[in-house]
Amino acid sequence: MTEYCGEDNLEVMNAAKKYNDFLTSLIVSACPDKSKKIVDFGAGNGLFAKALRNLGHKDVLCVEPADGLFDELRNEGFSCVRNISEVAAGSADFLYCLNVLEHIEDDKQAEREIYRCLRKGGCALVYVPAFSCLFSAMDKKVGHYRRYTRKTLLRLFEPDDWQIEQAEYADILGFGAALFFRFFGNKRGDLNRMVLLFYDRWIFPFSRMLDFLGARMFAGKNVYVRLRKNSRNMCQNEIKKIKNPDI
């Protein structure tokens, strides 16, 4: 039996419409073709798998180890497996992994599995919480092992194996909000629904505007990378690289 201790926070996050619409837009921009085979690695309660299905993406395989969430996904009609190792090698055109790698102790093994699942030229979108200085009671509650920087996330994905298409931070004002929560939030790590809704409606759109104006290259509450699978024998000088990754 596998359980997830942060299901209450997951339900609260479902109400963050603008934030979730932003994440959905990242997925769709990375995989606009509705005929592609997609893997949702760490599907949770199926929020994004459902959003994709509503947009016409029919072939979404959900990977979710937690028993209750797995059963919920099956009841919603999704194809599901409990572990990414069960996904056939080279079977996916696109894989997204939103706020999942930080839950996995051996994230390098997870990176290898993501590579294995994708066909050659397949795309992956990986989105994680940023900066260890923001590690709070919430991270402890939901079982996070770490938070990332742009540099450490890029280091995880070997340049011989991946072509980096995009790597940047998101939600610059969320950095300040998360820092405040670390020092003044409740010690249980519970999210306040009313505060979250206020932030999502009034602050997050302004934060995204600042991201667009350039803050995304320096800091944010989260960091994400979009990558494409190379062949193992691709030469080093053929790989597109991100210049001057920050700390």
Side-chain angles (χ1 to χ4, degrees), residues 129-136 139 145-150 152 169 175 178-179 182-183 220-221 223 247:
F131 292 106
S132 58
C133 65
L134 302 181
F135 199 96
S136 69
D139 294 272
Y145 285 97
R146 71 194 73 79
R147 298 175 75 98
Y148 295 81
T149 64
R150 183 168 172 262
T152 60
Y169 292 102
F175 180 97
L179 192 63
R182 176 185 175 182
F183 291 107
K221 180 176 64 65
V223 60
I247 60 170

Side-chain angles (χ1 to χ4, degrees), residues 13-234:
M13 287 302 302
N14 280 1
K17 184 178 185 306
K18 294 184 186 297
Y19 174 73
N20 293 325
D21 285 349
F22 162 64
L23 292 181
T24 302
S25 73
L26 288 181
I27 297 170
V28 173
S29 64
C31 184
D33 189 339
K34 295 180 175 60
S35 68
K36 297 297 186 182
K37 296 182 181 297
I38 298 174
V39 172
D40 181 343
F41 179 19
N45 56 17
L47 176 67
F48 299 105
K50 293 172 190 175
L52 288 178
R53 185 164 62 184
N54 291 338
L55 291 170
H57 295 265
K58 302 301 183 183
D59 197 349
V60 180
L61 173 64
C62 295
V63 179
E64 179 50 56
D67 292 319
L69 297 173
F70 180 89
D71 292 340
E72 184 177 338
L73 290 165
R74 290 289 294 269
N75 291 337
E76 289 285 345
F78 289 105
S79 298
C80 303
V81 295
R82 294 184 182 274
N83 195 294
I84 193 170
S85 64
E86 300 175 59
V87 180
S91 62
D93 297 299
F94 175 64
L95 179 149
Y96 63 92
C97 177
L98 307 180
N99 293 315
V100 171
L101 284 190
E102 66 276 11
H103 293 275
I104 301 173
E105 186 172 7
D106 189 350
D107 58 351
K108 187 59 185 177
Q109 179 59 31
E111 179 270 335
R112 295 188 190 103
E113 288 291 343
I114 292 171
Y115 186 94
R116 184 189 62 80
C117 291
L118 289 171
R119 63 169 179 80
K120 180 182 175 181
C123 182
L125 173 70
V126 177
Y127 184 99
V128 291
F131 292 106
S132 58
C133 65
L134 302 181
F135 199 96
S136 69
M138 185 276 294
D139 294 272
K140 294 178 183 178
K141 173 186 168 114
V142 301
H144 290 178
Y145 285 97
R146 71 194 73 79
R147 298 175 75 98
Y148 295 81
T149 64
R150 183 168 172 262
K151 183 176 181 179
T152 60
L153 187 57
L154 287 173
R155 188 183 299 141
L156 181 64
F157 292 88
E158 296 292 342
D160 286 338
D161 298 338
W162 298 97
Q163 176 182 341
I164 309 298
E165 296 185 336
Q166 188 177 14
E168 57 192 48
Y169 292 102
D171 193 8
I172 181 63
L173 296 181
F175 180 97
L179 192 63
F180 181 89
F181 184 88
R182 176 185 175 182
F183 291 107
F184 302 106
N186 66 74
K187 301 305 180 183
R188 300 182 307 277
D190 298 332
L191 295 177
N192 184 298
R193 182 183 178 88
M194 295 306 296
V195 172
L196 177 69
L197 290 176
F198 177 84
Y199 183 90
D200 185 64
R201 181 173 182 180
W202 300 108
I203 310 299
F204 184 70
F206 184 52
S207 184
R208 286 298 301 146
M209 185 184 303
L210 294 177
D211 291 344
F212 180 77
L213 292 175
R216 65 187 184 275
M217 300 309 297
F218 303 102
K221 180 176 64 65
N222 293 88
V223 60
Y224 67 94
V225 62
R226 190 173 75 188
L227 324 104
R228 196 162 297 279
K229 177 178 177 177
N230 288 323
S231 60
R232 290 283 181 182
N233 61 2
M234 178 170 277

Side-chain angles (χ1 to χ4, degrees), residues 227-243:
L227 324 104
R228 196 162 297 279
K229 177 178 177 177
N230 288 323
S231 60
R232 290 283 181 182
N233 61 2
M234 178 170 277
C235 296
Q236 182 76 16
N237 61 8
E238 293 178 307
I239 299 165
K240 180 180 178 181
K241 295 183 178 180
I242 298 296
K243 295 182 179 180

